[in-house]
Amino acid sequence: MNKYRTHNCKELRKEDINKEISISGWINKKRDHGNLLFIDLRDNYGITQCIIDKENKNFLELEKTQLETVIKIQGKVVSRSIETVNKEIETGEIEVVINKFQILGTCKELPMPVFSDQEYAEEIRLKYRFLDLRRKKIHENIILRSKVISYIRNEMTKLDFLEFQTPILTSSSPEGARDFLVPSRLNPGKFYALPQAPQQFKQLIMVSGFDKYFQIAPCFRDEDARADRSPGEFYQLDLEMSFVEQEDVFNVVEKLMVNTFKKFSSKRLLYDKFPRIPYSQAMLKYGTDKPDLRNPLIIQDISEIFIRDDVKFEIFKKLVKSGSKVRCISTKNTKDKPRSFFDGIDKWAKEQGASGLAYFTFENDKDLSAKGPIGKFFSKESLLEIMKKTNSKVGDSIFMACGKQSDLEKITALARDKIANELDLIEENIFAFCWIVDYPMFERDEMTNKVKFSHNPFSMPQGDLGEKDFENPLDILAYQYDIVCNGIELSSGAIRNHKPELMYKLFSIAGYDKTQVDEKFSGMINALSYGAPPHGGIAPGIDRIIMLLANEKNIREVTMFPMNQNAQDLMMNAPSSVSDEQLKELNLSIKPKK
RNA sequence: GGGGGUGUAGCUCAGUUGGUUAGAGCGAUCGCCUGUCACGCGAUAGGUCGAGGGUUCGAGUCCCUUCACUCCCGCCA
């Protein structure tokens, strides 16, 4: 028999009454009645109420023992009287009468309580993460994470995917995020980079003939954090398949997502078959390539309205004439909303850096008109045209913004969320998945005005491209796709370009000559020249999937030991200084910061 | 790099138009209490009001600088 316990803290039931047992765990809570003491003992599995009275010689010492001390209790299981049964816990029908106890691990005064539903400053939670992780909600989140990962691994294996590990120390790549660099001792002055994703390796695995690969892969990107973006590192379900088209990848991943979300959440899936939205359409209708489809609002382009002579809203007319566009959001039956609602949205838009949101409400008081500060600028006919374009009725309102396309997309996307939240239009208990497809291969860099890869340079362009197509590179679409759920980008993937000549061509458009490509992507481009199969894949973000399943808004709530926003580990004190010896060995010196 | 929010006891927070000795709950310590499950009751200890400077007879409160945390923009193929 184990010297610490015969049962865990969730196991004991009525059937165990009269058994002499031992359990070990943390003192979750004490209720001290002076001559009678209740102790809730907690372990990973659950809570068991233990009881001792002053007749027992151990009473005084146990009464003095701190919360969160680890103890072993020996005693007898007894039934609770009907009035004292606790239905909240699984062991609530019994309790353990303490005979002996032993302290296994003492506990200092706590910097933060463990037994409490209160929220605490993250600084202290991260510094004492081991205490924080004892708390119910986050403890359960981390267990959920383990279960989801093991489920996914099992599903992938069932589908004949093979799990491989890829190098953590690899080479820096010019495209994409900032790399974490690791100095090489044996190669002075040279650096490894931590992989931003195993992108090239998984393609090399396909070229090596393994057909289907997956990995719960750590990825490292040295970029600033967000609520849904850990600084430094995160995990992807990285997968790649040979001899597949886009459709084959969709089939595998869509099923996996549906099954995983149905198994681990009680929320409803809005679509079992994910709608596919072309990138260009997403940018128009939602202003973003990660739309929240729980939100019923849709953005419409009404630029032509402002070319009409019977529309007198001169500010917008002038801007439209010089190339700006007007886009709007129509809200259903908002005629009775107070003026403060509309002005509030307008004010909010200005705070977001836009020039505001103009608005009016369709009214039919004898005749069709627009109510609101700018209503008088619109003729009846123009209003009818707007109603037709936006599918609006009398009583609905229009919010509109004018500007150049990229600014417009940004503000209308934000406004779409803001207005939906204000009107309480977003149903919380739903997962709304979609595919975003047909990403452009290239885009124009607004700063440099140069053509660059818009996503992954290794993606396969769509169609049979002739010389003519390369004259308008911005029109070239790629077999590049994203999965989005509730406005969160869960993954992106692509059918890869496995033809070296085409690869050189595409890189040349983005400004890399053959020598540069050979140098920077030597492993890849070389491999593709020795018989590469057509292949493609995707990489869903594990942390974000767990975040959605656990109903958390912050990725740190599903990460066991996260860093803070400044990429510091407050518990382990990382990053930290290193000795001069270490620096010398690496041929590095630190420039003093001014 | 830029913008917003927060910073008061170990923890969570209150603190009025600037005005005496900065408060509460939890936790800690001590005492009372034999059926609680957020046990109850009483007492005690615990504060550089993030830091520095300024205005003022007087600053937790107003002003300036700065630091930390957080959210957002940039960034994240």
Side-chain angles (χ1 to χ4, degrees), chain A residues 365-502:
Chain A
D365 185 19
K366 288 178 195 156
D367 212 349
L368 182 67
S369 65
K371 185 179 128 191
I374 60 159
K376 58 177 182 271
F377 298 121
F378 296 86
S379 69
K380 180 183 162 187
E381 289 70 27
S382 67
L383 290 176
L384 278 170
E385 188 64 25
I386 297 175
M387 286 172 88
K388 203 173 126 195
K389 266 193 131 10
T390 61
N391 199 20
S392 304
K393 297 196 181 71
V394 169
D396 298 351
S397 311
I398 296 286
F399 289 88
M400 53 193 170
C402 182
K404 72 170 206 258
Q405 186 163 320
S406 59
D407 294 340
L408 255 187
E409 283 164 350
K410 210 166 284 170
I411 188 62
T412 49
L414 287 171
R416 189 174 158 267
D417 289 338
K418 170 76 178 170
I419 295 168
N421 277 320
E422 293 278 324
L423 295 173
D424 202 17
L425 296 177
I426 294 175
E427 201 182 320
E428 279 297 323
N429 284 316
I430 281 187
F431 289 121
F433 280 93
C434 63
W435 290 100
I436 307 295
V437 298
D438 301 341
Y439 275 82
M441 191 79 212
F442 299 101
E443 64 186 14
R444 195 173 290 285
D445 190 311
E446 283 191 25
M447 304 298 280
T448 61
N449 210 31
K450 283 183 183 155
V451 172
K452 60 171 192 178
F453 288 109
S454 69
H455 270 74
N456 189 324
F458 305 121
S459 297
M460 182 68 104
Q462 294 185 16
D464 263 333
L465 296 178
E467 268 313 307
K468 239 183 114 200
D469 297 297
F470 293 110
E471 285 167 23
N472 299 307
L474 296 178
D475 295 337
I476 300 174
L477 298 179
Y479 286 115
Q480 163 87 41
Y481 35 83
D482 275 14
I483 296 177
V484 173
C485 179
N486 293 4
I488 290 175
E489 185 192 318
L490 276 190
S491 41
S492 78
I495 297 300
R496 321 296 173 186
N497 183 351
H498 66 286
K499 300 172 178 171
E501 286 316 310
L502 183 55

Side-chain angles (χ1 to χ4, degrees), chain A residues 39-240:
Chain A
I39 287 189
D40 290 339
L41 200 68
R42 183 196 74 239
D43 65 11
N44 176 66
Y45 308 99
I47 284 180
T48 300
Q49 174 167 284
C50 305
I51 184 166
I52 188 169
D53 70 17
K54 68 172 178 198
E55 303 302 316
N56 190 300
K57 63 180 191 310
N58 295 310
F59 180 81
L60 283 177
E61 194 189 343
L62 195 49
E63 196 183 28
K64 277 189 307 192
T65 307
Q66 289 264 8
L67 294 184
E68 293 305 310
T69 302
V70 180
I71 60 173
K72 172 191 170 188
I73 281 174
Q74 287 171 279
K76 194 163 112 177
V77 182
V78 301
S79 74
R80 298 205 204 180
S81 64
I82 294 157
E83 324 82 75
T84 60
V85 164
N86 184 350
K87 293 198 181 87
E88 304 291 312
I89 58 175
E90 275 150 299
T91 58
E93 288 187 312
I94 58 93
E95 62 193 7
V96 172
V97 177
I98 299 169
N99 177 23
K100 284 198 285 192
F101 90 102
Q102 184 190 347
I103 291 176
L104 303 176
T106 58
C107 181
K108 298 199 284 190
E109 189 178 340
L110 295 165
M112 56 177 281
V114 171
F115 171 73
S116 169
D117 292 331
Q118 228 162 13
E119 306 228 12
Y120 302 98
E122 281 209 273
E123 203 172 351
I124 197 146
R125 291 183 56 194
L126 294 183
K127 185 166 178 193
Y128 297 95
R129 191 58 159 181
F130 48 90
L131 288 179
D132 192 37
L133 286 167
R134 291 180 194 170
R135 298 170 66 219
K136 195 162 193 277
K137 176 62 175 153
I138 189 163
H139 199 87
E140 281 170 0
N141 285 353
I142 299 298
I143 290 172
L144 173 70
R145 183 184 177 114
S146 168
K147 287 185 172 159
V148 171
I149 288 177
S150 116
Y151 174 78
I152 288 175
R153 194 168 254 140
N154 195 22
E155 291 295 293
M156 295 304 286
T157 307
K158 275 201 283 191
L159 292 169
D160 292 330
F161 281 78
L162 300 172
E163 184 173 13
F164 299 123
Q165 286 72 50
T166 49
I168 299 298
L169 293 174
T170 181
S171 68
S172 178
S173 67
E175 288 282 321
R178 200 175 290 117
D179 282 318
F180 278 102
L181 298 177
V182 180
S184 166
R185 175 179 59 85
L186 294 175
N187 303 275
K190 295 194 173 172
F191 292 82
Y192 303 97
L194 306 183
Q196 297 179 24
Q199 180 63 38
Q200 294 190 58
F201 288 111
K202 70 170 167 179
Q203 293 191 238
L204 290 164
I205 289 171
M206 293 301 102
V207 179
S208 309
F210 287 105
D211 205 63
K212 287 180 187 171
Y213 140 91
F214 85 102
Q215 177 182 197
I216 310 292
C219 304
F220 307 89
R221 297 178 189 174
D222 188 4
E223 297 293 349
D224 288 357
R226 289 287 184 277
D228 64 351
R229 207 162 83 200
S230 290
E233 54 191 79
F234 61 97
Y235 283 80
Q236 287 183 339
L237 164 60
D238 195 42
L239 69 96
E240 197 76 6

Side-chain angles (χ1 to χ4, degrees), chain A residues 264-284:
Chain A
F264 291 101
S265 175
S266 55
K267 289 191 183 182
R268 186 166 65 87
L269 264 65
L270 188 56
Y271 311 105
D272 274 10
K273 191 83 192 148
F274 304 168
R276 298 172 189 191
I277 307 170
Y279 172 84
S280 57
Q281 203 192 329
M283 294 310 286
L284 177 64

